[in-house]
Amino acid sequence: MNLLSSFRVTQEPLFKQVANTVEKMIHDGVLRPGERTPSLRAVCDQHGVSMSTAVQAFVELESRGLVEPRHKSGFFVKAPPKVIMDLPGPPRVPMSGSLGNRHASLFDAVVAGNVIALGGAVPSPEILPTAKLNRMLSEKARNAGARGVMYDLPPGSEMLRRQISKRMTKGGAVVAPADIITTCGATEALMLCLRAVTKPGDVVAVETPTYFGILHVLEALALRALEIPTDARTGLRLDVLESVLKNQPVNACIVLPAFSNPLGASMPDDAKQRLVGMLKAREIPLIEDDVFGELPFGPKRGRTCKSFDDSGLVLFCSSFSKTLAPGYRVGWVVPGRYYHAVRIAKLTHTMATATLPELAIASFLADGGYDHWLRSARAIYKMNVMRMRRAILEEFPAGTTVTTPQGGFLVWVTMPVTVNALELYDRALAKGISIAPGQLFSLEPRYANCIRISCGEPWSPRIEGAVRTLGSLAKRQVK
Ligand SMILES: Cc1ncc(COP(=O)(O)O)c(C=O)c1O
């Protein structure tokens, strides 16, 4: 149906109705200031109106101060009405209601340009090797030819999988390129693993507190999360897990053994080995999320659970989102005995991982100085975490505690029980600071007095000021 039929039922002259639709496009941000509007001919075709109606519509838009003619070039959108600047992006979601709502709300706050983003577990592009990686991407785009525009069907780029195999030996796992499937980030890897090993209604044991993205994925797949207490230094409580396994069915388990999100906990290697053995004895698949594994503060990373896996029950997931480029959306999975199921699931999920980002990352790993860059990033994060801990302990109410992660760039802050993190979130956002409230990290009403803070931004007086502001907002909630 062309737009004309809906126009003509109203009383307004046709040219005004056409002008109104163009005005709406300007207000919705479809047409931006300085951009050329559709031509008169295009307006005639789209709306089924005559040339004189289209001309009248543009005269009307000009009189509304929305467009201006330029010699021999047509009409252009004029000065930005203020609303246009405020509108881009989806409408803001409140930090309430469903897990999905809260997840979306947090990201709204993280990506809002003028906010000091302490809420997302996102590394700053100022710390990432942004310029070099983007150069490698453009070099790939120039030289990849047809390959660059074609699907890189699962298992994905062989060049990248070879590089990943090499890196995985650092965590003690000997994995062939043929064992790996590339994914659109770790989020997809987790989703594919869960799809491969569970069915709706199954129970999945997770750490608590845990990364809200995992809780969200479980919800999306109609799985039931079973939250297992987690120690802030040594990770998942194996004693608790063991007694749970004796008493109730568990269909899969997800752990973040290296610098977990949000606690920054590191499981000792012998605990990882014990965990793998405990689950193997019951034939329960273990999904290992290692996105922070390459960011230890010490000289060496620990072993991965995958390195202890001799039965194919460990499904290893990771990505380059914390180390190179979250926006490239490149991750991977080593699905063990579930390889076929994961590969098939990928075909119905995203079909393939984006070819050019895969190739750029493969080049960076091969000869971009990845280890050199990781060393410098780790030193920055270690320093940031130290400064952040000190600043929080100075500025927050008495009784506040902060975790002491040995890698990654997240700290978990526990404030006196009268402080409500959701309230703090709202008040902080009103002052241009985003944080991640503790309530996001569990399905139970826990962690209401906790927040997760990211140290992924370069340290600056602006961040110091933000911590001071957060501290004084939190103090106001202490009775
Ligand atoms: C522990 C953990 N796993 C997975 C993800 C998702 O990573 P990706 O951006 O690679 O999808 C995140 C992102 O914050 C994370 O913190």
Side-chain angles (χ1 to χ4, degrees):
M1 184 182 82
N2 90 22
L3 294 169
L4 184 61
S5 44
S6 60
F7 281 160
R8 287 196 170 133
V9 294
T10 77
Q11 293 303 313
E12 225 175 353
L14 206 48
F15 76 89
K16 285 207 175 178
Q17 295 180 46
V18 174
N20 291 346
T21 59
V22 178
E23 177 167 357
K24 182 170 184 324
M25 289 171 84
I26 294 172
H27 279 284
D28 288 348
V30 180
L31 293 172
R32 295 304 208 97
E35 202 178 324
R36 192 200 304 265
T37 65
S39 67
L40 291 170
R41 170 65 48 213
V43 167
C44 294
D45 290 347
Q46 275 161 24
H47 301 302
V49 295
S50 67
M51 181 56 82
S52 69
T53 303
V55 170
Q56 258 186 305
F58 274 87
V59 171
E60 170 73 15
L61 285 164
E62 214 184 327
S63 75
R64 293 180 194 176
L66 293 169
V67 301
E68 61 190 354
R70 287 196 200 153
H71 187 57
K72 289 192 175 163
S73 308
F75 284 88
F76 286 76
V77 179
K78 225 175 137 187
K82 185 151 183 354
V83 277
I84 293 180
M85 303 312 288
D86 295 340
L87 267 184
R92 273 300 254 281
V93 180
M95 175 65 79
S96 61
S98 74
L99 202 61
N101 251 16
R102 289 188 267 159
H103 195 167
S105 170
L106 184 77
F107 276 97
D108 278 353
V110 169
V111 298
N114 49 354
V115 162
I116 303 178
L118 306 179
V122 185
S124 160
E126 289 170 60
I127 295 179
L128 295 170
T130 305
K132 188 167 186 180
L133 193 60
N134 283 346
R135 265 201 312 278
M136 286 182 151
L137 182 72
S138 34
E139 192 265 322
K140 287 289 163 201
R142 268 200 312 280
N143 300 323
R147 188 175 168 210
V149 298
M150 295 311 287
Y151 287 129
D152 206 349
L153 289 165
S157 159
E158 209 259 336
M159 186 178 155
L160 177 60
R161 287 183 289 113
R162 252 187 306 118
Q163 293 302 324
I164 291 171
S165 293
K166 287 186 189 161
R167 291 222 67 84
M168 286 197 62
T169 59
K170 292 184 189 291
V174 180
V175 166
D179 299 329
I180 299 168
I181 297 172
T182 68
T183 59
C184 301
T187 305
E188 185 184 36
L190 290 165
M191 183 68 123
L192 298 179
C193 291
L194 284 165
R195 281 180 60 190
V197 304
T198 61
K199 56 184 185 323
D202 277 357
V203 174
V204 180
V206 296
E207 299 165 352
T208 187
T210 197
Y211 166 52
F212 46 81
I214 289 176
L215 298 174
H216 196 182
V217 170
L218 294 179
E219 185 188 74
L221 294 175
L223 297 166
R224 286 179 290 156
L226 177 65
E227 300 187 9
I228 308 289
T230 301
D231 183 89
R233 279 185 314 107
T234 56
L236 190 75
R237 290 270 307 275
L238 294 184
D239 54 335
V240 180
L241 179 67
E242 188 148 39
S243 69
V244 165
L245 293 179
K246 282 183 192 144
N247 293 308
Q248 75 166 91
V250 169
N251 304 95
C253 180
I254 304 181
V255 285
L256 288 63
F259 324 122
S260 66
N261 178 356
L263 291 178
S266 320
M267 269 182 112
D269 285 353
D270 57 350
K272 292 174 204 158
Q273 185 168 21
R274 209 178 124 211
L275 173 65
V276 172
M278 193 189 288
L279 296 176
K280 178 182 165 188
R282 293 169 176 84
E283 287 275 306
I284 299 172
L286 170 62
I287 300 171
E288 176 178 22
D289 178 342
D290 187 61
V291 290
F292 290 99
E294 297 255 52
L295 295 173
F297 295 157
K300 267 180 71 181
R301 62 159 302 154
R303 288 182 60 166
T304 55
C305 292
K306 188 71 193 169
S307 74
F308 297 110
D309 179 28
D310 57 12
S311 64
L313 274 167
V314 178
L315 300 92
F316 178 93
C317 302
S318 194
S319 76
F320 298 100
S321 296
K322 309 302 172 195
T323 53
L324 287 179
Y328 277 31
R329 306 308 299 134
V330 178
W332 74 97
V333 50
V334 186
R337 65 165 84 160
Y338 303 96
Y339 181 90
H340 185 66
V342 167
R343 189 167 175 217
I344 300 297
K346 165 96 182 162
L347 286 175
T348 63
H349 203 241
T350 53
M351 175 99 93
T353 307
T355 308
L356 288 172
E358 275 187 336
L359 295 177
I361 286 183
S363 282
F364 196 94
L365 298 188
D367 46 35
Y370 188 52
D371 278 310
H372 174 77
W373 131 249
L374 276 179
R375 269 194 299 281
S376 84
R378 295 195 305 232
I380 294 172
Y381 294 143
K382 181 179 177 181
M383 193 61 98
N384 279 1
V385 164
M386 213 178 72
R387 287 167 155 158
M388 184 62 86
R389 290 193 74 256
R390 191 181 304 147
I392 291 171
L393 290 172
E394 269 169 25
E395 302 294 342
F396 274 56
T400 297
T401 60
V402 190
T403 49
T404 46
Q406 299 307 306
F409 49 81
L410 303 174
V411 293
W412 179 251
V413 182
T414 306
M415 300 168 289
V417 287
T418 53
V419 182
N420 185 296
L422 277 177
E423 209 176 302
L424 185 62
Y425 169 84
D426 283 335
R427 289 177 195 239
L429 208 50
K431 294 196 177 283
I433 305 163
S434 87
I435 55 172
Q439 288 95 331
L440 273 175
F441 297 85
S442 170
L443 297 177
E444 307 294 329
R446 297 185 179 124
Y447 315 122
N449 58 324
C450 301
I451 53 174
R452 187 196 68 188
I453 296 278
S454 169
C455 310
E457 290 281 324
W459 193 257
S460 67
R462 192 165 169 253
I463 291 193
E464 254 171 304
V467 177
R468 209 169 306 123
T469 305
L470 287 173
S472 68
L473 291 174
K475 278 178 184 159
R476 280 188 222 161
Q477 291 192 44
V478 177
K479 308 282 180 294

